[in-house]
Amino acid sequence: MEHGGFFEQAFVYLAAAVIAVPVAKRLGLGSVLGYLIAGAIIGPFGLALIGEAGQDIMHVAEFGVVMMLFVVGLELEPALLWRLRASILGLGGLQVVVTTAAAAGIARLLGLGWAEAVAVGMVIAVSSTAIVLQTLEERGLLQTTAGQSAFSVLLFQDIAVIPMLALFPLLAPRGAEVAGGHTWVDGLPAWGRALAVLGAVGGIVVAGRLLLGPVFRLIARTGLRELFTAAALLLVVGIALLMSQVGLSPALGTFLAGVVLATTEFRHELESDIEPFKGLLLGLFFIAVGASIDFALVGSQPGTIAALVGATLLGKFLILLGLGRGFGLSGEQRGLFAFALPQVGEFAFVLLAFGSSLGLLAAEVASPLVAVVALTMAASPILMLAWERVVAPRLGTREVTAREADEMHGEAPVLIAGFDRFGNTVGRFLRANGVPTTVIDNDSDRVDVLRRLGLPVYYGDPTRLDLLRSAGIASARVLVVALDEPGRNIALVREVRRHFPEVRIFARAEDRNDAYDLMDLGATQVYRETLDTALRVGVDVMGALGRRTHAATRAARTFRRHDEAALAELAAVRGDRARLLGVARERIAELERMLQADADEPDLERDAAWDPTTLREEMRGT
Amino acid sequence: MPRVLVAFAHPALEKSRVHRALLAAASRHPAVTVNDLYQVYPDADIDVGREQALLREHDIVLLQFPMYWYSTPPILKLWQDLVLEHGWAYGRTGHALAGKSLACAVTAGGPREAYEPGGFNRTSIRQFLLPLESTTRLCRMTWLPPWIVHGTHRLDPEQITRAAAEYAELLSALAEGRIDPVRVAEADELRPIHWTGGS
Ligand SMILES: Cc1cc2nc3c(=O)[nH]c(=O)nc-3n(C[C@H](O)[C@H](O)[C@H](O)COP(=O)(O)O)c2cc1C
């Protein structure tokens, strides 16, 4: 096979990605696995569509990792870190340390050298941020105790990768250092190197504060979008270069730079400019990793691989369970926490690739490990399914208690899907007024509390049809759709409308676009979360300025009526433009249409009957 | 000294000429508490406890409102319905208001002649307010005839200022107990002669 020109190569990579990733996502495997599979397919052990060029690609792709760490740095929010410090440092720190130690110990027992064993331990310790966050978010579980704990652990791991990358060269056998070329600090003593590093980081801080703003504003004034992107890329490349010149790894250096630049006003600009490159290059990186798996090696020892996958999952699982208990997670949440995080994550590929290039990890170790890591990731969706369908219903908070199941019959209750701050208010209000309500919610801690208070609650994903059925949707007269995730509200309305056309659906919408979707899908009544509150603020402002409160209140009602009518009208106009055009631009265009509609409103003659002016004029005239 | 509570009802004060001036006069008066119903209850969600407490603290209740369709603006009707509870304002044990007086300060678009026996409406404003008079009696209170600003549509600013000044005098007279309920019992409306001591 001719591995020829640039276009052929690019075509093969892109085609593999475009085909494999959607398929993998469809199967619930996530995009990282999709890229890996694509790599395996086009790699030397698959269709052999790429050859030595794979190595060059790998170098380019590694820059994706550098960018990822830059973005990780940019996204670190000091306030968030501080708020979660206990769980990040405690839970996250212990998870990484304990898992690393355990895995390293086992690797040592299996006959690896110390340095190599520790490296393997670190590889095993990280979980997959991409998979876990997506899984929890899809199910609306991110706000639960388990979700928050998982988030903390992942955050700690993301940060811990930096010192790990710094540690790897120290673990590597001497002399085997990557041919990094010369750096400025080669001849310097240790303190000189340290000073150079401090100087470089300090330089970035100062330049970030003083230069970045003017330069970026200058570029912004040219009005050339791509120049902005070029500048952002230049910045990252420059930092990577500078950092390697003072002897830091590019990854560590850009991470630090990211943290430093996180507080500048250009943070979001930088992030959104780098993001597509990061995504594409990381995809390329994972493809390259997939292509590098030595399937001959892996295929010769299926038993070993299977045992390693099982041991990894089980070991991490048990450690997570123990930590969950230690940090006071309730039974159910502990289970969810442990079932969510036992896979090994995408950072493992970074560490494995880096370790191999340093000569720290032998090919006989790295290759099967890549396969093991990939398989644990592939096992994630299956584990989640097992948790949801098999384990949780038996062990944790029950979907229904027997008493409730009896009570439900014959009653025509109001169903409330989702009981966070929104559904919670609706439910409390209805209950205070003696309206029988049934709640469906998927936060087990919350469900436990409601149960203790004697409310009929069904536990589980409210978008599941079987759960809706057993909660009594067939006989319910009203369904309140109040999940905090617009996408899931929309899915729920679609599902319910298809199977239960009779029930009246009162749906919560986050913004106008959700409102459009929910209306299209046949929700009876759509409520934008912020509309009424915002109007109340408007009324109070008018009152504070000395306007009559009665008039202001009536004006707010008129405004809402008008806004709702306009919403219905604009819903017809909108088509699919919102999706095709950039969302932000569409928002602005819509704001313009809204303001236009306000101006066209002829309803200024409100409450004309209370106005005696015309009568007075008539009387004067006679 | 008896304290006066003005229960004020105008749904669109921002469009008012006469009541704006009258209300200003009442607000300035030291012996008067103004309770601006549409302003306090923009949702018509009347706080019964607050209203009853106000009534308890005052000796004279003055309902101030524009004549709307030969009656009061609607919030005053709601106010009566909700605040004058059985067992509190009337009924065997309802003595909270006993001994207090109630009067009205009314503005009307129609001129005085229109409310005279041969006039367009054939009925006096006092007679149009008969439901309020009966309510007053049921609550064991003393009914005083209404004080009226007639022909509001034709009033010029100076006349409005004069009406407001007369209103301030009325409020003082009420507060100082200078109006004798027995002497005015049969009058169609309260006029300055009723408190300046003339005959
Ligand atoms: C809805 C409405 C109904 C009215 N009904 C009457 C009425 O029945 N008899 C009358 O004399 N004037 C009537 N008027 C005239 C008002 O009483 C008059 O406009 C008001 O007293 C003027 O006071 P203001 O300037 O404070 O609003 C009515 C006015 C409105 C707006």
Side-chain angles (χ1 to χ4, degrees):
Chain A
M1 175 85 207
E2 170 63 36
H3 300 310
F6 168 77
F7 284 118
E8 282 91 332
Q9 284 286 325
F11 182 79
V12 168
Y13 277 98
L14 292 174
V18 169
I19 294 167
V21 173
V23 171
K25 284 211 97 162
R26 193 78 236 179
L27 296 176
L29 296 179
S31 59
V32 173
L33 279 179
Y35 285 119
L36 278 181
I37 293 168
I41 291 173
I42 61 174
F45 296 91
L47 303 175
L49 293 176
I50 51 169
E52 321 78 66
Q55 278 309 310
D56 301 338
I57 295 285
M58 189 75 172
H59 285 311
V60 177
E62 271 166 5
F63 191 54
V65 177
V66 169
M67 284 184 171
M68 171 164 71
L69 291 169
F70 182 66
V71 173
V72 169
L74 270 183
E75 280 174 351
L76 279 188
E77 290 175 41
L80 182 70
L81 287 181
W82 185 248
R83 191 160 54 78
L84 295 175
R85 63 193 180 278
S87 58
I88 292 178
L89 281 181
L91 196 54
L94 276 176
Q95 188 274 337
V96 170
V97 170
V98 173
T99 314
T100 302
I106 291 171
R108 181 81 180 125
L109 288 181
L110 292 176
L112 298 191
W114 266 119
E116 208 170 4
V118 171
V120 169
M122 292 184 198
V123 167
I124 299 292
V126 293
S127 306
S128 172
T129 306
I131 291 182
V132 177
L133 286 192
Q134 197 191 337
T135 317
L136 293 179
E137 190 160 10
E138 267 171 13
R139 292 170 169 73
L141 293 170
L142 216 47
Q143 296 307 323
T144 62
T145 324
Q148 288 294 298
S149 307
F151 183 79
S152 298
V153 169
L154 292 167
L155 201 58
F156 183 86
Q157 292 177 353
D158 283 359
I159 302 170
V161 169
I162 305 295
M164 289 178 182
L165 287 173
L167 222 59
F168 266 39
L170 304 180
L171 291 171
R174 276 181 210 295
E177 238 165 83
V178 255
H182 288 287
T183 67
W184 298 337
V185 292
D186 271 346
L188 295 181
W191 60 266
R193 289 170 182 239
L195 222 59
V197 170
L198 280 182
V201 173
I204 291 176
V205 175
V206 174
R209 285 288 139 84
L210 299 183
L211 285 181
L212 207 60
V215 170
F216 272 27
R217 264 187 285 274
L218 204 76
I219 293 169
R221 219 168 296 138
T222 64
L224 295 172
R225 180 105 199 101
E226 67 275 13
L227 208 59
F228 217 92
T229 311
L233 282 176
L234 176 69
L235 184 74
V236 179
V237 173
I239 290 170
L241 260 180
L242 174 69
M243 287 306 182
S244 27
Q245 283 303 321
V246 297
L248 284 184
S249 78
L252 175 56
T254 46
F255 170 77
L256 280 180
V259 174
V260 165
L261 296 178
T263 49
T264 66
E265 57 182 311
F266 290 99
R267 170 178 154 197
H268 295 293
E269 234 101 9
L270 282 173
E271 216 177 309
S272 58
D273 274 327
I274 302 278
E275 194 65 42
F277 292 93
K278 184 202 90 177
L280 209 57
L281 287 177
L282 265 188
L284 210 55
F285 173 77
F286 291 130
I287 291 181
V289 171
S292 71
I293 300 177
D294 187 342
F295 280 97
L297 193 73
V298 172
S300 65
Q301 41 187 336
T304 316
I305 300 277
L308 283 177
V309 170
T312 304
L313 289 174
L314 187 66
K316 290 191 77 169
F317 177 82
L318 291 176
I319 290 170
L320 288 164
L321 218 50
L323 287 176
R325 151 159 280 181
F327 279 77
L329 269 65
S330 65
E332 168 101 30
Q333 296 288 310
R334 205 188 311 153
L336 175 59
F337 175 66
F339 265 93
L341 289 168
Q343 78 293 100
V344 183
E346 53 275 2
F347 271 120
F349 299 126
V350 177
L351 293 172
L352 284 171
F354 189 49
S356 302
S357 71
L358 288 171
L360 172 61
L361 294 169
E364 311 84 75
V365 176
S367 237
L369 271 185
V370 170
V372 168
V373 172
L375 285 172
T376 63
M377 288 171 82
S380 286
I382 303 165
L383 281 176
M384 264 326 263
L385 220 61
W387 161 254
E388 273 178 343
R389 292 293 152 92
V390 185
V391 186
R394 288 200 169 69
L395 135 167
T397 308
R398 304 273 176 65
E399 265 181 16
V400 210
T401 63
R403 186 180 53 81
E404 286 151 17
D406 295 346
E407 248 175 39
M408 277 359 310
H409 284 294
E411 191 110 50
V414 173
L415 277 187
I416 302 180
F419 212 66
D420 71 347
R421 63 202 161 82
F422 192 99
N424 169 323
T425 309
V426 180
R428 276 170 41 223
F429 172 69
L430 292 177
R431 211 170 105 84
N433 289 282
V435 178
T437 54
T438 303
V439 172
I440 314 175
D441 193 75
N442 68 343
D443 182 331
S444 66
D445 282 349
R446 198 151 55 202
V447 168
D448 287 342
V449 170
L450 295 179
R451 290 236 168 105
R452 236 178 294 132
L453 298 178
L455 268 75
V457 187
Y458 285 76
Y459 171 60
D461 179 357
T463 59
R464 260 173 50 207
L465 207 55
D466 59 326
L467 193 62
L468 283 166
R469 276 222 174 80
S470 43
I473 183 95
S475 61
R477 282 161 59 199
V478 175
L479 167 70
V480 178
V481 172
L483 307 176
D484 63 354
E485 185 58 42
R488 300 199 323 131
N489 277 332
I490 288 167
L492 176 55
V493 171
R494 179 181 294 126
E495 198 69 3
V496 170
R497 250 310 154 252
R498 188 178 311 146
H499 296 275
F500 305 97
E502 294 296 310
V503 68
R504 286 197 277 168
I505 303 177
F506 294 170
R508 161 190 183 180
E510 195 171 271
D511 57 19
R512 299 176 74 92
N513 275 316
D514 301 336
Y516 293 148
D517 286 339
L518 292 166
M519 276 156 51
D520 286 351
L521 290 171
T524 315
Q525 201 49 261
V526 174
Y527 302 86
R528 277 165 290 158
E529 270 173 23
T530 48
L531 180 66
D532 291 79
T533 317
L535 282 177
R536 271 183 52 205
V537 173
V539 168
D540 287 352
V541 168
M542 283 168 74
L545 294 178
R547 296 285 196 95
R548 298 289 292 175
T549 57
H550 181 241
T553 306
R554 289 181 64 81
R557 291 204 196 105
T558 310
F559 187 91
R560 191 182 55 197
R561 221 169 28 244
H562 151 67
D563 195 61
E564 245 140 38
L567 185 75
E569 249 169 60
L570 293 178
V573 186
R574 122 199 115 120
D576 270 337
R577 288 225 308 281
R579 287 193 193 78
L580 293 175
L581 287 178
V583 179
R585 197 160 8 128
E586 178 61 15
R587 287 249 167 83
I588 298 300
E590 184 173 74
L591 178 65
E592 197 179 327
R593 284 201 296 275
M594 268 155 54
L595 292 171
Q596 197 63 49
D598 290 349
D600 293 346
E601 177 60 18
D603 199 13
L604 293 172
E605 284 301 292
R606 184 177 49 233
D607 301 337
W610 281 337
D611 193 341
T613 315
T614 51
L615 181 59
R616 205 157 50 225
E617 281 161 6
E618 191 176 298
M619 305 278 287
R620 290 244 168 80
T622 55
Chain B
M1 187 160 91
R3 286 176 37 79
V4 180
L5 174 67
V6 170
F8 173 65
H10 197 305
L13 191 67
E14 66 280 4
K15 293 171 176 138
S16 149
R17 298 190 315 141
V18 184
H19 277 283
R20 206 199 299 260
L22 301 186
L23 188 68
S27 303
R28 274 196 300 269
H29 204 288
V32 171
T33 307
V34 171
N35 185 24
D36 186 345
L37 293 173
Y38 275 107
Q39 179 75 358
V40 180
Y41 307 118
D43 287 314
D45 185 12
I46 288 174
D47 180 346
V48 173
R50 174 181 180 272
E51 293 302 317
Q52 291 184 345
L54 278 172
L55 287 173
R56 251 194 233 105
E57 290 161 13
H58 296 81
D59 302 313
I60 296 167
V61 181
L62 185 61
L63 307 182
Q64 180 192 333
F65 57 89
M67 199 75 174
Y68 274 7
W69 292 112
Y70 306 103
S71 180
T72 67
I75 204 169
L76 269 181
K77 179 65 166 57
L78 189 63
W79 181 85
Q80 296 167 57
D81 295 358
L82 293 173
V83 179
L84 306 179
E85 287 176 337
H86 176 243
W88 185 81
Y90 69 99
R92 202 154 35 80
T93 57
H95 294 272
L97 302 176
K100 300 179 191 283
S101 320
L102 188 139
C104 295
V106 184
T107 63
R112 183 170 279 126
E113 311 84 75
Y115 289 98
E116 281 172 350
F120 179 81
N121 296 313
R122 294 149 200 249
T123 310
S124 71
I125 288 187
R126 175 168 177 166
Q127 278 172 297
F128 278 118
L129 298 180
L130 204 52
L132 276 173
E133 188 171 340
S134 297
T135 300
T136 306
R137 208 166 300 123
L138 189 67
C139 294
R140 303 180 167 95
M141 300 169 82
T142 306
W143 169 257
L144 298 175
W147 174 80
I148 304 167
V149 180
H150 281 107
T152 55
H153 301 309
R154 293 175 195 269
L155 293 183
D156 57 34
E158 199 189 316
Q159 289 169 307
I160 292 177
T161 310
R162 240 180 286 138
E166 189 178 315
Y167 188 46
E169 280 174 32
L170 167 71
L171 290 170
S172 296
L174 286 171
E176 291 156 16
R178 285 191 274 119
I179 296 175
D180 176 7
V182 180
R183 201 165 78 95
V184 300
E186 297 307 319
D188 270 341
E189 57 182 304
L190 286 180
R191 313 279 297 262
I193 43 153
H194 293 127
W195 61 77
T196 50
S199 48

